[in-house]
Amino acid sequence: MRFGSVIFALIALLLTAPGARSQTNTVRTMSLAECIRMAVEHNFDVQIQRLGPVIARFDIEGSYSVYDPVLEASAIHDSNTREGGLNSFTGEPFPSTTTENNNFGAGLRGASPWGLTYNLTPTLNHRTGTSRGSDFDFYEGRAGVTLRQPLLRDFLIDAGRQNILVAKKNLHISEAALASEMMTVVSRVEVAYLDLIFTRENIKVQEKALELAERLLAENRKRVEVGTLAPLDEKQAEAEVAARLTDVVEARQAHFIQQNVLKNLLTDDFRAWHAVEIVPEEKLIAVKEMPDLHESWHRGLRQRPDLQQSRLDLEKRDIQVRFTRNQTLPSVDLVGSYGHNGLDSNVGGVFEDKAVGRSPFYSAGVVFSMPLSNRGPRNAYRASKAEREQAQLRLRQLEQAVLVQIDDAVKRTRTTFERVEATRKARQFAEAALDAEQRKLEAGKSTSFVVLQLQKDLTAARSAEIRALADYNKALSELAFNEGSTLEKNQLSLK
């Protein structure tokens, strides 16, 4: 057996080896839109990020718990006995004392959204015992409300209101993060889908190259047999067939890998998709688009989710500044209370006293307090202002980065489209050159070496053309991503 035939057989064996051929049982033709829909529903990153707004809504609901009334109740028994004796000064005896108290209390306290705090405190005390030789048994009670309204510190904003406002901002931030993750996944699906088309088309290119090499080898063998061609030309053709076979194997392997790249983006159950071969429904075409840079800038600054997150973070810093500035003020609170006392030998009498208001009580006043140095609040305020300035600079930095990214993407879109046209012409020229050289070889005016070189050039030109087509469509996808219009372009929403 000839050396070339041995090489051909060995590499053909590689083509049919388990690691080199697809282990698929079914073929599924899919459009890009279908792939995107599947990814949005089943991609792990999207599913994880989708829980962010859910958690944020729970946090908002939880932050309102600061206004939930708190119910308190108590029942306490107290016993106190003091033994009698003699007064060391007068020598007179004093009696023993025994006291039994049963205290029952209840309360309802809470706060309002404008800073007012309240405390409802009904109590009932049953007191029995002996004091100075006399027995006593009576009930006393008290029911009233105590109010406290801040006038400076904690008036316009306090810790509870700050937490609520921040929680609401966090909800919008989590929604922007979800939009950003969806955009990222959709963009990756588009790139993976285009690369899958490229690898599939590249297999065809490499198979055509193998076909050309095999045809030249067959023609050279005939010429060697009749003595019109040197044996060296046959060996060169055999080596070229072996090289092209290797290229086919590598092209198929790249296609298998790209299948897994796309499947990993589409599904949360890879086992179910392992035996499926995805066949792209779309073809690589170049639809000319000439984006306007300033319009793209405007769209990007308005729509980019990462910019929205940065702006919301700045708004959170504003809330923090408001709160810390408020905490530098002195505490000036209006306080007041009102209620009724009750005292009787039975429980009913106590409640009657309270009902008719025989023994009212009330209080009103102002409470002022302020740390002498106020060092802690003042420095917390200064720190929050510095953090806000940091956030503002980060936002400006990100806005500038977005402008640069969009500028690069617009230029890349234009240059890749020019590459498409250039590679198409290069492929046409390569086809014409090979056709002409093959005719010269048939006429005995060229060599196999030159024809083999032109075959390589044609294969490279065909591969470059489909790569340029894929890169142009990827550039359009990248431009949409940088503009923040990926979801809009694919008619997707967070819902």
Side-chain angles (χ1 to χ4, degrees):
M1 182 182 291
R2 297 185 180 186
F3 176 72
S5 300
V6 172
I7 294 177
F8 183 88
L10 288 175
I11 299 182
L13 181 62
L14 287 175
L15 287 171
T16 59
R21 66 174 184 269
S22 175
Q23 301 296 311
T24 58
N25 299 324
T26 59
V27 174
R28 180 166 176 176
T29 302
M30 297 184 68
S31 65
L32 176 59
E34 184 180 2
C35 290
I36 289 173
R37 284 196 301 271
M38 283 195 60
V40 169
E41 292 177 8
H42 299 287
N43 181 269
F44 275 117
D45 290 333
V46 174
Q47 291 185 67
I48 292 169
Q49 198 63 54
R50 191 175 280 124
L51 290 173
V54 176
I55 296 171
R57 289 187 180 92
F58 287 138
D59 289 340
I60 291 176
E61 291 295 324
S63 66
Y64 277 99
S65 65
V66 68
Y67 302 128
D68 291 344
V70 177
L71 178 65
E72 297 176 333
S74 62
I76 301 172
H77 173 73
D78 177 72
S79 177
N80 186 28
T81 301
R82 186 177 65 184
E83 189 177 345
L86 293 176
N87 189 314
S88 59
F89 294 100
T90 63
E92 296 179 357
F94 58 85
S96 61
T97 301
T98 302
T99 303
E100 297 285 340
N101 288 326
N102 291 306
N103 295 293
F104 303 94
L108 187 68
R109 57 182 173 85
S112 68
W114 53 90
L116 176 70
T117 59
Y118 58 87
N119 192 3
L120 303 175
T121 55
T123 60
L124 178 65
N125 183 25
H126 180 207
R127 183 173 297 180
T128 61
T130 303
S131 177
R132 298 185 180 276
S134 301
D135 295 334
F136 59 86
D137 184 349
F138 63 89
Y139 292 85
E140 61 179 345
R142 182 184 179 92
V145 59
T146 301
L147 303 174
R148 189 179 190 116
Q149 174 62 57
L151 298 180
L152 291 178
R153 186 190 301 172
D154 295 332
F155 176 54
L156 296 177
I157 187 171
D158 55 18
R161 279 173 281 182
Q162 180 201 21
N163 290 336
I164 292 171
L165 293 173
V166 169
K168 290 180 178 180
K169 296 299 179 184
N170 286 337
L171 171 60
H172 296 310
I173 289 175
S174 66
E175 290 173 342
L178 173 58
S180 180
E181 188 61 49
M182 288 176 62
M183 279 179 47
T184 299
V185 170
V186 170
S187 182
R188 289 172 61 193
V189 169
E190 289 175 335
V191 170
Y193 189 87
L194 291 168
D195 282 338
L196 184 63
I197 299 176
F198 167 78
T199 57
R200 186 175 180 83
E201 293 299 316
N202 193 48
I203 291 175
K204 298 177 183 178
V205 169
Q206 301 305 327
E207 288 176 344
K208 284 184 179 180
L210 175 61
E211 182 183 338
L212 288 174
E214 289 175 336
R215 187 187 307 160
L216 181 62
L217 175 59
E219 293 172 354
N220 284 358
R221 281 176 178 170
K222 292 179 181 178
R223 294 189 183 98
V224 169
E225 289 174 358
V226 300
T228 59
L229 196 66
L232 177 61
D233 290 317
E234 180 184 1
K235 299 303 179 183
Q236 289 176 339
E238 288 177 344
E240 187 66 17
V241 169
R244 298 289 75 78
L245 277 168
T246 302
D247 291 342
V248 172
V249 172
E250 291 176 351
R252 290 180 179 175
Q253 181 62 25
H255 182 64
F256 300 153
I257 293 173
Q258 194 58 39
Q259 286 271 338
N260 282 346
V261 170
L262 183 57
K263 291 174 186 177
N264 190 42
L265 291 168
L266 300 186
T267 182
D268 52 7
D269 185 7
F270 181 74
R271 292 178 183 272
W273 280 80
H274 180 256
V276 177
E277 179 183 2
I278 300 175
V279 176
E281 187 176 293
E282 275 87 351
K283 304 296 181 183
L284 287 176
I285 59 173
V287 179
K288 186 176 182 180
E289 293 188 21
M290 298 301 292
D292 179 83
L293 177 60
H294 293 282
E295 184 180 338
S296 294
W297 275 351
H298 178 71
R299 189 180 297 115
L301 293 176
R302 187 181 71 253
Q303 296 183 175
R304 280 276 291 257
D306 50 350
L307 281 175
Q308 294 173 13
Q309 288 177 274
S310 186
R311 293 186 183 110
L312 288 165
D313 180 68
L314 183 59
E315 292 174 8
K316 283 174 56 179
R317 303 295 176 183
D318 288 335
I319 296 170
Q320 179 68 16
V321 170
R322 283 177 53 200
F323 174 70
T324 55
R325 180 172 56 196
N326 178 266
Q327 296 304 294
T328 63
L329 300 174
S331 175
V332 180
D333 298 347
L334 287 178
V335 296
S337 63
Y338 179 80
H340 295 279
N341 296 307
L343 180 66
D344 207 298
S345 60
N346 59 74
V347 177
V350 172
F351 286 114
E352 183 181 353
D353 281 352
K354 292 180 182 179
V356 299
R358 293 195 183 101
S359 305
F361 68 87
Y362 70 90
S363 66
V366 179
V367 178
F368 172 87
S369 69
M370 181 176 181
L372 293 180
S373 70
N374 212 25
R375 184 185 308 171
R378 283 191 289 108
N379 284 283
Y381 173 52
R382 292 167 182 164
S384 66
K385 287 175 64 179
E387 290 172 352
R388 186 195 182 282
E389 186 176 356
Q390 267 188 335
Q392 194 167 32
L393 288 171
R394 281 194 292 266
L395 174 58
R396 290 177 57 193
Q397 181 186 39
L398 181 57
E399 287 175 340
Q400 179 168 295
V402 168
L403 296 179
V404 173
Q405 291 167 5
I406 291 176
D407 186 42
D408 290 343
V410 168
K411 291 174 180 176
R412 191 175 297 112
T413 300
R414 293 170 179 171
T415 55
T416 51
F417 184 78
E418 293 171 358
R419 259 182 59 209
V420 169
E421 183 64 19
T423 54
R424 183 184 64 81
K425 291 180 179 179
R427 186 259 305 164
Q428 292 174 343
F429 293 149
E431 289 175 343
L434 177 59
D435 185 62
E437 200 64 31
Q438 283 178 331
R439 288 197 297 269
K440 288 172 64 177
L441 178 63
E442 292 171 0
K445 296 180 180 181
S446 184
T447 64
S448 294
F449 177 80
V450 176
V451 173
L452 290 173
Q453 186 60 47
L454 291 175
Q455 285 184 353
K456 293 179 184 178
D457 293 344
L458 176 58
T459 300
R462 286 171 171 169
S463 184
E465 182 182 13
I466 59 174
R467 171 51 69 190
L469 285 167
D471 287 348
Y472 173 67
N473 285 278
K474 287 161 69 173
L476 292 176
S477 173
E478 182 185 1
L479 176 59
F481 179 83
N482 287 320
E483 290 178 341
S485 60
T486 299
L487 300 184
E488 179 185 349
K489 184 186 74 171
N490 291 282
Q491 298 179 345
L492 297 172
S493 67
L494 296 186
K495 297 179 181 179

